[in-house]
Amino acid sequence: QSVLTQPPSASGTPGQRVTISCSGSSSNIGSNDVYWYQQLPGTAPKLLIYRNNQRPSGVPDRFSGSKSGTSASLAISGLRSEDEADYYCAAWDDSLSVNWVFGGGTKLTVL
Amino acid sequence: QITLKESGPTLVKPTQTLTLTCTFSGFSLSASGVGVGWIRQPPGKALEWLALIYWDDDIRYSPSLNSRLTITKDTSKDQVVFTMTNMDPVDTATYYCAHSRRLHGGVGPTSYYFDDWGQGTLVTVSS
């Protein structure tokens, strides 16, 4: 069971806006930055969002991140078929030793 | 351009030790604010962080696997070596190495994150 909780699945139609949630606690999201990764089928994860809401160069502005308290969200607007992938949130956790934790992942289906 | 590539055995027997090498280019692990980590993903399952070695020789391990893991760096060869002892079939996974960078203005080990990843290597544990 993952330290960060994500819904196992999400879906939307082309052009829609979808959001994926990530719930944590005071020892991870509550006190550290959140990161989001996209994993297309059969490929390595790709960084989508860093420091809660920052996009690396090359990531479309259709992707946005936010954080509030011990939860975070990834929003994808103008949904495209190529957005169909697994999405993972991640953060440092200070509860034991310093520990990087991932969410369980959300499979996004574009209908 | 940063690139990383994992290499090592594709099949190991239970109780054996797994040794993987990450060979990278486009950065130096002796440069301030840089690290290399290992993350794995069992087939059809979520990502799991394993270890991270920083430019200043600081090392962090997953608490749940700490006793089985070792990570070292060879800056002259631009390589990071990862070992996991006492392998079990549940350790079957794709193992990724990833470049880690420090946030602008960040301080301490939790100011790093993973940006560029290798393609991964599938390791199967079976007798």
Side-chain angles (χ1 to χ4, degrees):
Chain A
Q1 190 164 348
S2 302
V3 174
L4 304 180
T5 302
Q6 298 179 237
S9 63
S11 63
T13 56
Q16 267 191 333
R17 181 179 188 271
V18 297
T19 61
I20 297 171
S21 61
C22 176
S23 177
S25 67
S26 58
S27 64
N28 41 68
I29 294 178
S31 53
N32 293 293
D33 293 323
V34 178
Y35 302 82
W36 289 92
Y37 296 88
Q38 177 193 58
Q39 187 175 32
L40 297 170
T43 69
K46 169 191 170 185
L47 179 67
L48 270 186
I49 298 288
Y50 69 98
R51 209 167 206 174
N52 306 316
N53 56 19
Q54 303 298 301
R55 283 185 308 275
S57 60
V59 173
D61 59 6
R62 301 186 298 105
F63 295 91
S64 63
S66 64
K67 173 184 138 174
S68 178
T70 59
S71 294
S73 292
L74 172 71
I76 309 172
S77 59
L79 197 62
R80 298 183 178 184
S81 58
E82 57 260 40
D83 298 332
E84 186 160 293
D86 293 324
Y87 293 84
Y88 293 91
C89 60
W92 285 103
D93 186 286
D94 305 323
S95 59
L96 295 171
S97 58
V98 165
N99 181 26
W100 177 270
V101 293
F102 288 99
T106 298
K107 180 171 182 57
L108 175 64
T109 301
V110 181
L111 302 170
Chain B
Q1 180 192 4
I2 290 174
T3 65
L4 307 100
K5 188 170 185 179
E6 307 85 355
S7 59
T10 58
L11 179 66
V12 297
K13 290 180 167 48
T15 76
Q16 285 187 335
T17 293
L18 170 68
T19 299
L20 295 174
T21 299
C22 178
T23 302
F24 55 83
S25 64
F27 67 96
S28 171
L29 198 38
S30 58
S32 178
V34 175
V36 171
W38 287 88
I39 300 101
R40 71 178 178 179
Q41 184 174 36
K45 296 189 177 181
L47 300 165
E48 179 184 21
W49 171 71
L50 300 172
L52 173 57
I53 187 164
Y54 299 83
W55 65 281
D56 59 358
D57 296 326
D58 190 10
I59 290 172
R60 306 289 167 159
Y61 294 115
S62 165
S64 62
L65 295 166
N66 179 62
S67 63
R68 299 173 55 202
L69 306 181
T70 303
I71 188 171
T72 61
K73 63 184 175 77
D74 186 334
T75 53
S76 66
K77 293 182 179 179
D78 286 340
Q79 290 182 333
V80 169
V81 177
F82 171 81
T83 64
M84 178 181 287
T85 61
N86 194 24
M87 293 292 283
D88 183 272
V90 299
D91 297 313
T92 294
T94 296
Y95 287 75
Y96 297 98
C97 64
H99 172 267
S100 181
R101 76 171 65 241
R102 185 171 57 202
L103 288 164
H104 181 67
V107 177
T110 60
S111 64
Y112 288 71
Y113 63 99
F114 299 104
D115 50 3
D116 294 294
W117 295 55
Q119 64 188 26
T121 184
L122 176 61
V123 177
T124 301
V125 184
S126 175
S127 55

